[in-house]
Amino acid sequence: MTTIKLHNTRTRAKEDFVPISADNVRMYVCGPTVYDRAHLGNARPVVVFDVLYRLLRHVYGADQVTYVRNFTDVDDKINATALARQKAGAEGTLEQLVQERSDETIGWYLHDMGALGALEPDEMPRATQYIAQMVAMIEDLIAKGHAYAAERHVLFAVDSWKEHYGALSGRSVDDMIAGARVEVAPYKRNPMDFVLWKPSTDELPGWDSPWGRGRPGWHIECSAMSYELLGESFDIHGGGNDLMFPHHENEIAQSKCAHPHGEFARYWLHNEMLQVEGKKMSKSLGNFFTVHDLLEQGVPGEVIRFVFLQTHYRKPMDWTEKKAREAEATLRKWRAQTAGIEPAASAAPAVVAALSDDLNTAGALAELHRLAADGDAASLLAGAQLLGLLSQEMGAWADTASVDLSSHADRLSDARASAMQSKDFSEVDRLKAAYVAAGLEVRMSKDGVELVPGTGFDAAKLEGV
Ligand SMILES: [Zn+2]
């Protein structure tokens, strides 16, 4: 069996991956807070852990892997939208409007991530469906002396776990207090203590609890849901490296203190962040956009995925338009090369080997380029599909086989020839505008006319031209 090597943040080393049980490989990845459309950076962990999920399924069998990714649907921004809608006259209770907003954004999320070729995880728990389990875990933490109630809040007592707290991110509690911007509250015993439960005002959704009507803190959600769905010990925990502290550190503290005989997660994987044209993505820089924005502009989801895979997950990745254009050209070429071909029975060993080396997706793509150059279309297709590329459902954008672009080019060429005589270029202009609107690049030279499909080419728009 293939040995997968993964870089484990916990040990800061690349290790052989050995699952607790090869017939039930378990992975938990922190999912989105569903208050709005996912921006491009949110999509990176989705694609990274989708590749890992596919690799695990390839090595251990599709039915032997359980992938859980949560939805955080307890959030002030969701509440704010629901409240605004209620004030604007929307019908329903605040709880119903909150649910409506979450349903809407979850639908968008699944659609957009599906467009990137991400498989849906086996379980997608929503925090609001696990409140009882969170309350039970918090009660248990209080009983074990790791948490305390104060002024309708419940806090995790970091001092009760002081020698371990900070191990994942490599900090000590004293350093954290010295350097951190921690929220000082009079009811905290230690400024690093974090919220497990907090009171809700009448304007916010809340649940009854032993500490009054309130709602859970963010960190306890993942501890409660991973325990419920994967048990006290599981194999892989993933997320963006911006979650390492405090979120993952707090998850470990909660889970290890609640279940001291469990290991919680054995392998911790963190992906690096995404930039746009060399700059951090931010609303103030004007380079902030969602996956939906790109799809609407006609950038195919498969192209986005390809660009992501070119950079190793532990390196910052830079989204550029140039990369997107190059990815599109490569995919178009590979799609033409593999059209009508059956994929090889299994992915080429070199592709699997690259992925098994701590998800070296760039190396795997290099192998695909090699297979394409060798003319081995069946192996190219099998290897690409292991990476979530060249699938049938993702390929509509590249479906140019049915369109005879050369006859359109001839038409434009003929129109230009008559316009030279008549000096009336209106037909030439009309055709050019129609081709550009369909997403074609129009190249006119003395030698002739060439029409090249560009980003967002839509063959349907050529009908009736
Ligand atoms: Zn989490």
Side-chain angles (χ1 to χ4, degrees):
M1 186 181 277
T2 308
T3 300
I4 300 174
K5 286 179 185 292
L6 298 173
H7 182 271
N8 189 349
T9 307
R10 196 167 60 79
T11 57
R12 285 159 182 71
K14 191 149 75 168
E15 299 175 353
D16 285 356
F17 173 68
V18 183
I20 297 167
S21 164
D23 58 17
N24 184 17
V25 181
R26 284 161 286 173
M27 171 162 81
Y28 185 93
V29 175
C30 295
T33 302
V34 284
Y35 64 90
D36 209 348
R37 291 263 184 200
H39 64 70
L40 191 63
N42 299 140
R44 191 172 189 204
V46 176
V47 172
V48 165
F49 292 104
D50 181 65
V51 171
L52 179 54
Y53 182 43
R54 287 170 184 271
L55 177 66
L56 291 170
R57 285 159 62 101
H58 177 79
V59 172
Y60 294 95
D63 295 334
Q64 269 62 55
V65 184
T66 306
Y67 173 19
V68 179
R69 187 184 65 214
N70 68 298
F71 285 116
T72 293
D73 55 353
V74 182
D75 180 74
D76 287 341
K77 291 185 194 117
I78 302 172
N79 301 335
T81 305
L83 202 57
R85 285 179 179 181
Q86 192 176 54
K87 285 182 175 157
E91 282 182 30
T93 63
L94 189 59
E95 275 77 9
Q96 284 166 337
L97 293 171
V98 164
Q99 165 108 25
E100 205 176 277
R101 177 61 176 168
S102 305
D103 288 347
E104 182 176 273
T105 44
I106 285 173
W108 291 342
Y109 185 83
L110 293 177
H111 170 269
D112 293 349
M113 298 308 125
L116 305 185
L119 301 171
E120 287 194 0
D122 302 285
E123 303 272 2
M124 296 188 280
R126 292 167 68 149
T128 50
Q129 292 163 345
Y130 288 81
I131 302 289
Q133 290 86 341
M134 294 177 211
V135 169
M137 192 175 224
I138 295 170
E139 286 185 303
D140 186 32
L141 286 169
I142 294 175
K144 289 183 168 127
H146 291 294
Y148 57 96
E151 296 184 24
R152 296 175 66 211
H153 289 72
V154 180
L155 293 131
F156 185 91
V158 165
D159 285 329
S160 75
W161 175 252
K162 194 174 178 181
E163 61 277 27
H164 307 286
Y165 191 70
L168 181 72
S169 52
R171 310 157 192 236
S172 75
V173 174
D174 293 336
D175 290 348
M176 286 188 266
I177 293 173
R181 294 171 298 171
V182 288
E183 191 193 333
V184 182
Y187 48 80
K188 281 188 182 181
R189 291 180 190 164
N190 180 320
M192 293 306 294
D193 290 353
F194 57 89
V195 166
L196 301 175
W197 188 266
K198 58 191 168 189
S200 281
T201 61
D202 291 342
E203 290 210 318
L204 291 171
W207 292 265
D208 290 329
S209 82
W211 319 285
R213 184 174 173 277
R215 56 208 165 111
W218 170 38
H219 315 299
I220 196 73
E221 293 178 12
C222 288
S223 284
M225 292 189 283
S226 62
Y227 174 68
E228 206 55 33
L229 296 166
L230 298 174
E232 63 180 19
S233 306
F234 57 91
D235 299 299
I236 298 170
H237 194 308
N241 65 357
D242 55 334
L243 298 182
M244 202 186 301
F245 182 84
H247 183 56
H248 290 161
E249 209 71 76
N250 294 352
E251 279 189 40
I252 294 172
Q254 295 161 160
S255 294
K256 292 283 284 180
C257 289
H259 308 292
H261 302 297
E263 294 179 85
F264 192 37
R266 303 171 100 200
Y267 299 84
W268 283 83
L269 267 71
H270 290 98
N271 64 276
E272 256 288 352
M273 297 293 102
L274 175 136
Q275 301 182 319
V276 173
E277 307 285 351
K279 293 200 181 73
K280 190 173 186 264
M281 186 154 112
S282 82
K283 285 191 170 139
S284 60
L285 285 174
N287 64 353
F288 183 93
F289 49 88
T290 65
V291 173
H292 178 73
D293 292 336
L294 279 184
L295 296 172
E296 284 290 292
Q297 286 161 27
V299 180
E302 188 176 34
V303 168
I304 300 173
R305 185 180 182 95
F306 189 101
V307 172
F308 279 19
L309 297 179
Q310 287 176 307
T311 303
H312 190 258
Y313 75 95
R314 291 200 296 117
K315 297 211 173 82
M317 92 136 275
D318 193 20
W319 172 267
T320 67
E321 280 185 26
K322 181 167 178 277
K323 283 185 186 174
R325 277 198 305 275
E326 288 166 0
E328 183 166 338
T330 301
L331 285 167
R332 213 177 270 287
K333 203 172 67 189
W334 287 358
R335 281 200 170 270
Q337 192 175 352
T338 56
I341 298 250
E342 281 295 307
S346 65
V351 175
V352 178
L355 290 182
S356 300
D357 182 14
D358 195 27
L359 298 186
N360 181 4
T361 48
L365 289 178
E367 292 300 331
L368 296 186
H369 278 292
R370 214 183 317 273
L371 292 168
D374 291 349
D376 187 350
S379 297
L380 168 63
L381 190 55
Q385 289 184 344
L386 178 59
L387 281 164
L389 298 168
L390 302 191
S391 67
Q392 215 152 29
E393 49 290 4
M394 288 182 93
W397 68 272
D399 196 9
T400 52
S402 60
V403 187
D404 186 1
L405 288 179
S406 64
S407 74
H408 283 283
D410 289 346
R411 255 179 86 187
L412 184 51
S413 187
D414 293 347
R416 181 173 62 169
S418 2
M420 299 294 238
Q421 304 292 326
S422 66
K423 306 294 175 204
D424 175 5
F425 284 85
S426 57
E427 177 62 5
V428 175
D429 293 340
R430 189 190 71 80
L431 285 173
K432 269 168 72 179
Y435 294 144
V436 169
L440 291 168
E441 191 190 321
V442 180
R443 294 179 188 164
M444 299 176 83
S445 69
K446 279 195 295 270
D447 305 326
V449 173
E450 204 186 349
L451 298 175
V452 186
T455 303
F457 170 61
D458 184 354
K461 290 185 181 159
L462 290 177
E463 282 171 31
V465 169

